[in-house]
Amino acid sequence: MNDTPRHTNRLIHETSPYLLEHAHNPVDWYAWGEEALQRAKTEDKPILLSVGYNACHWCHRLAAESFEDEATAQLMNDNFINIKVDREERPDIDSLYMEAVQAMTGGGGWPMTVFLTPEGLPFYAGTYFPPKDRYGMPGFPKVLQRISDFYRNERDKVNETAEQFRDFYSRRVRLGQMVPVRRVVEAGELDPAILDQATEKLAGIFDRVDGGFGRAPKFPHPMTLDVLLQHHLRAIKLVSQNMTPESEIRLVSQKMTDESEIRRAGQNMTGEFSDLEMVEFTLQKMAQGGIYDHLGGGFHRYSVDTRWLVPHFEKMLYDNALLSRVYLHAWQVTGNTFYRRVTEETLDYVLREMTSPEGGFYSTQDADSEGEEGKFYIWTPDEITAVLGERDSKLFCAYYDVTPQGNFEHKNILHVDHTVKEIAKQLKVSDATLRNALARGRRELYEVRARRVWPARDDKILTAWNGLMLRSFAEAARALDRADYRAAAERNADFLLSHMQDANGRLLRTYRDGQAKLNAYLEDYASLGMALLAVYEATFDTRWFTEARRLADAMIRLFWDDEDGGFFSTGHDHEALIGRPKELTDNATPSGNSMAVELLLHLAAFTGEDAYRERAVTILRPLAPAMAEHPSALSQGLLDLDFLIGPAREVAIIGDPAAPETQALLGVVNRAFRPNLVLASATPEDTTAQAAIPLLQERPQRAGKATAYVCQNFTCQAPVTEPETLAAQLD
């Protein structure tokens, strides 16, 4: 039997699993680059740009239906120069042309299909096209023929559309024009009123039945939940200064620490949810729904329904990075161990299934296995009984709502609709008996599931996404005092700095099979910079702080817009494109500018350098109206604003980090959720750390004991040596 592929194209030389999937298509694919663009100009052919990613279900569908079809491929090869792009490797290409798709169609998504002039200007765009006319869409071969005829016979109209986009891209980079909105507050006002108005907006779109925001499909929005958590803390601090005993009791009673209390609040509350209640209700609903993997840990991409029941089954590194952080923060605020469990299960999933031997974090796991979406994750009652036996199967199926009729393709997505107490009472067993059966069931069913055909994994390592996950591990190491998380964070940080830079120290975007390539983007620099600061705060190894500051200074040199302010997404050394993106709005991940602002503000707090802060303010000030009116689109910007408004605290602890008295002081800082705080620590003799980190300078010990300094704008309160006194200063 001959297994030699019939076709092989240029994508065989790429490292992206998504591009390699198309390397044996009959399509004459190019990766994005000068060779393809030059051929389009030489032959005067339009470019067919196809953008997708490995975990995209409809991207695989389009490939199977059209790109593997000989007749369709022939149409593409005869009439177009065909370029395939992995959006995760090339967010610049994806961002520029997604704007064209949205402008032309009113929507967007992947796979993205854009037809370009040889100069790279779009003149027609869409997303998925079926192989034949259906879903109210023309078949892909018909689209190809029509576009080819249009390009040959109506060039004036093609050029007119293309020139409109040339003008569009030339005008879009000004900072104040990026998010046009009705003015709620005047640009330039950076005060708590913006945070208040933003949370009021969020309350207006909050789903009081199922948690979360908006309608189906429903996405997690972890940054938005962090905005509400931080606003809750701000409200407590402001109210507690002038509250009566009665109002203090009422405020404290808003904290819900039991899953049944949260469910009752959602069902029975007729008034408004508080900030904390919105966060807790949403976190509970998500972690009990099918969007959460109850056997293996970690979250799927989003829910196709409002109930969080049926997910799109792909798992993305960035979702799990951001969600593990917000669950960690919820645990720090409330003390509810449910949130800690979800945090640890999610991070343990990443260590087990998404970590390379070198310590890098992989990008995604696919939604499909054996050609079916979700097949890896779903169960029948008989399958569960075969593993657990009749008794435990009955308990397990009752708790996770597994039924003969099923809830997805006649099988069952595990989810939770009732508390342990309710199910135990219904089945007349003790709570402990049920909990033990559930724990055993999760463990044994995971082992059985691991013998199924696994979803494909995109094992490329992306700097920005690794930065997000690295930060989550570092924060969890601090808050939970998990040495294994601290070791994973240091290993990942060392991998990124060792493998994701060229010989000149220029950060790179992507790594796979021993090869790192592509100049890194703004989001890569900012994400890794913030992550390295988090690793420093978890380890107090000065190397990580020094590297974070080096990356921040390089970020300013490479990406800052001297004319209009803000950061471009691509560096000054990047290839010339039809436009230079400057992204300010957050999507599934924070925008490069919002992460850059966060990095600059933290460095300003560590170093006292106003130049860092001034650049951050330059970005935030024009966005004030947009942040107040569109909080979901600028959630990380709101978190940045909260830090800027402060009060941000600078804490320096001088002492032997292994000594119990130093650990006691560090515990006060680390256990609570203190988002507007930076932490530095060193021994009195560590002159290297003191030279690198101004916050540590001129901080002597008091009476030879470990000593803490709590400062604001480098003006410090009296140094303290007792944990209780430190807590009082911080609170």
Side-chain angles (χ1 to χ4, degrees):
M1 184 176 180
N2 186 5
D3 293 329
T4 302
R6 184 177 176 187
H7 302 280
T8 300
N9 57 55
R10 297 168 191 82
L11 299 183
I12 197 66
H13 303 296
E14 297 299 312
T15 58
S16 159
Y18 176 67
L19 298 185
L20 289 169
E21 178 192 337
H22 296 78
H24 298 295
N25 294 164
V27 178
D28 186 19
W29 287 118
Y30 287 83
W32 182 274
E34 185 58 33
E35 182 184 1
L37 301 177
Q38 187 57 52
R39 183 181 166 194
K41 294 174 184 176
T42 300
E43 299 183 13
D44 190 24
K45 281 186 176 181
I47 295 167
L48 191 164
L49 174 66
S50 177
V51 182
Y53 59 102
N54 201 52
C56 167
H57 171 77
W58 287 98
C59 298
H60 297 305
R61 182 83 169 264
L62 179 62
E65 293 172 342
S66 296
F67 301 152
E68 295 173 11
D69 178 71
E70 297 278 353
T72 303
Q74 193 64 50
L75 271 174
M76 295 171 67
N77 296 338
D78 289 345
N79 297 286
F80 303 93
I81 303 301
N82 303 292
I83 299 179
K84 173 60 71 174
V85 166
D86 181 342
R87 67 175 293 260
E88 295 167 354
E89 283 193 338
R90 294 299 305 261
D92 53 337
I93 301 294
D94 179 63
S95 174
L96 283 170
Y97 292 110
M98 183 57 74
E99 290 190 358
V101 175
Q102 292 168 337
M104 291 182 183
T105 69
W110 298 274
M112 176 168 67
T113 308
V114 191
F115 295 90
L116 316 174
T117 67
E119 292 76 28
L121 293 165
F123 65 90
Y124 187 83
T127 53
Y128 166 81
F129 291 101
K132 298 179 181 179
D133 294 0
R134 64 174 185 240
Y135 311 135
M137 294 184 290
F140 195 45
K142 184 182 291 186
V143 171
L144 296 173
Q145 192 61 61
R146 287 177 178 175
I147 296 301
S148 177
D149 293 343
F150 182 57
Y151 184 80
R152 287 198 309 269
N153 302 321
E154 299 187 60
R155 188 65 65 88
D156 289 346
K157 292 183 179 178
V158 169
N159 291 338
E160 180 182 354
T161 300
E163 289 305 313
Q164 289 174 351
F165 275 99
R166 188 192 301 277
D167 182 58
F168 169 76
Y169 287 120
S170 69
R171 289 185 290 105
R172 62 179 293 281
V173 297
R174 291 187 179 275
L175 189 60
Q177 297 174 349
M178 294 297 291
V179 193
V181 294
R182 175 176 59 84
R183 290 188 174 276
V184 181
V185 295
E186 289 300 315
E189 295 179 2
L190 296 177
D191 61 43
I194 300 170
L195 303 174
D196 297 338
Q197 292 168 11
T199 53
E200 288 174 9
K201 284 281 184 179
L202 292 173
I205 60 172
F206 179 68
D207 184 341
R208 289 165 170 76
V209 176
D210 295 301
F213 305 92
R215 302 175 180 177
K218 189 175 281 185
F219 291 83
H221 296 292
M223 290 174 285
T224 301
L225 296 174
D226 259 330
V227 169
L228 292 170
L229 266 184
Q230 292 191 198
H231 193 256
H232 164 75
L233 295 185
R234 182 174 291 275
I236 284 181
K237 290 178 181 178
L238 290 174
V239 173
S240 64
Q241 294 172 7
N242 296 299
M243 69 173 24
T244 64
E246 293 79 10
S247 62
E248 185 171 5
I249 292 171
R250 187 163 57 250
L251 184 66
V252 171
S253 70
Q254 291 176 353
K255 293 176 63 173
M256 296 177 287
T257 58
D258 179 78
E259 58 187 78
S260 60
E261 291 181 39
I262 295 170
R263 185 175 295 105
R264 284 197 300 273
Q267 292 173 342
N268 301 327
M269 180 175 278
T270 57
E272 293 298 315
F273 278 62
S274 71
D275 293 336
L276 183 59
E277 286 166 342
M278 284 190 280
V279 173
E280 291 208 70
F281 189 53
T282 300
L283 293 180
Q284 286 278 351
K285 286 289 189 178
M286 287 195 301
Q288 292 168 344
I291 193 175
Y292 186 66
D293 181 355
H294 292 271
L295 300 185
F299 288 85
H300 300 293
R301 178 73 192 93
Y302 62 86
S303 173
V304 302
D305 58 85
T306 60
R307 297 175 50 210
W308 308 105
L309 173 60
V310 180
H312 185 43
F313 286 92
E314 65 192 23
K315 285 184 176 181
M316 316 297 287
L317 183 69
Y318 56 76
D319 284 323
N320 287 286
L322 295 170
L323 284 165
S324 57
R325 283 187 69 222
V326 75
Y327 276 91
L328 177 69
H329 299 163
W331 171 74
Q332 289 177 296
V333 170
T334 67
N336 187 346
T337 56
F338 176 81
Y339 305 129
R340 174 173 181 160
R341 177 170 69 82
V342 174
T343 298
E344 292 178 314
E345 288 177 353
T346 301
L347 294 177
D348 291 347
Y349 147 73
V350 172
L351 288 178
R352 185 178 62 247
E353 299 182 21
M354 297 290 284
T355 303
S356 76
E358 307 104 313
F361 301 128
Y362 298 135
S363 294
T364 68
Q365 286 177 321
D366 207 340
D368 301 356
S369 55
E370 300 183 83
E372 297 181 26
E373 184 173 8
K375 184 176 181 180
F376 183 75
Y377 297 100
I378 56 181
W379 299 85
T380 65
D382 288 345
E383 289 172 328
I384 294 175
T385 301
V387 178
L388 302 183
E390 290 289 344
R391 175 183 172 276
D392 280 8
S393 174
K394 181 180 179 181
L395 300 178
F396 191 92
C397 290
Y399 184 73
Y400 286 108
D401 196 26
V402 177
T403 64
Q405 62 269 27
N407 53 38
F408 180 76
E409 305 292 340
H410 307 294
K411 292 191 176 184
N412 292 270
I413 301 166
L414 302 183
H415 70 111
V416 178
D417 272 340
H418 300 280
T419 66
V420 166
K421 286 186 179 297
E422 290 167 345
I423 296 298
K425 182 178 180 180
Q426 173 188 324
L427 298 180
K428 298 180 180 179
V429 298
S430 68
D431 290 4
T433 298
L434 178 57
R435 290 185 190 279
N436 290 336
L438 296 176
R440 173 181 165 241
R442 286 191 296 266
R443 183 175 62 254
E444 295 189 4
L445 288 174
Y446 178 83
E447 292 173 357
V448 170
R449 192 179 78 177
R451 297 195 287 270
R452 293 176 174 176
V453 176
W454 282 73
R457 181 174 63 195
D458 188 330
D459 59 355
K460 68 176 179 289
I461 294 167
L462 298 173
T463 299
W465 296 8
N466 270 246
L468 295 174
M469 184 54 74
L470 171 57
R471 184 178 182 184
S472 188
F473 272 106
E475 288 191 9
R478 283 180 63 192
L480 305 177
D481 195 21
R482 288 278 301 258
D484 55 338
Y485 290 169
R486 187 174 292 106
E490 290 188 281
R491 189 162 173 252
N492 180 256
D494 187 67
F495 167 82
L496 294 173
L497 292 176
S498 300
H499 292 80
M500 304 298 285
Q501 299 186 94
D502 65 16
N504 299 316
R506 206 327 180 162
L507 201 61
L508 300 174
R509 170 69 174 179
T510 183
Y511 173 95
R512 185 173 184 267
D513 289 343
Q515 181 182 354
K517 65 179 187 179
L518 302 178
N519 282 346
Y521 300 93
L522 171 65
E523 66 173 358
D524 297 298
Y525 275 85
S527 178
L528 181 54
M530 272 306 304
L532 291 175
L533 288 183
V535 178
Y536 167 73
E537 291 179 308
T539 64
F540 305 117
D541 183 338
T542 307
R543 173 195 177 193
W544 308 124
F545 178 87
T546 302
E547 290 288 350
R549 189 170 186 182
R550 180 184 66 82
L551 287 175
D553 291 340
M555 177 183 76
I556 294 169
R557 289 195 308 272
L558 284 166
F559 300 95
W560 185 255
D561 181 352
D562 291 320
E563 182 177 349
D564 292 309
F567 291 97
F568 290 110
S569 300
T570 56
H572 301 314
D573 57 351
H574 199 73
E575 67 181 288
L577 300 172
I578 57 171
R580 196 171 177 195
K582 184 189 287 183
E583 292 189 321
L584 295 168
T585 55
D586 302 314
N587 293 295
T589 59
S591 73
N593 269 279
S594 63
M595 283 193 286
V597 168
E598 186 179 27
L599 176 58
L600 295 175
L601 290 175
H602 279 71
L603 282 174
F606 273 112
T607 66
E609 293 287 342
D610 280 341
Y612 290 135
R613 184 180 184 278
E614 289 167 2
R615 289 184 192 272
V617 172
T618 298
I619 296 171
L620 290 178
R621 197 181 299 280
L623 296 177
M627 285 192 285
E629 185 156 336
H630 296 289
S632 295
L634 290 158
S635 294
Q636 184 59 51
L638 286 163
L639 297 173
D640 297 339
L641 180 62
D642 190 77
F643 189 98
L644 176 68
I645 294 171
R649 301 294 180 85
E650 305 129 13
V651 179
I653 296 179
I654 308 300
D656 178 1
E661 61 181 19
T662 309
Q663 287 293 312
L665 295 174
L666 290 171
V668 170
V669 181
N670 291 337
R671 281 191 296 271
F673 180 47
R674 305 184 192 278
N676 296 342
L677 179 148
V678 299
L679 173 65
S681 183
T683 63
E685 302 81 20
D686 191 345
T687 56
T688 300
Q690 294 166 24
I693 306 172
L695 181 57
L696 292 171
Q697 294 170 6
E698 299 179 7
R699 308 283 188 231
Q701 283 191 329
R702 193 175 184 184
K705 295 182 178 180
T707 304
Y709 293 80
V710 176
C711 314
Q712 186 175 333
N713 297 323
F714 272 64
T715 299
C716 302
Q717 300 181 49
V720 298
T721 58
E722 298 301 323
E724 297 79 10
T725 313
L726 174 58
Q729 287 189 351
L730 290 173
D731 296 334

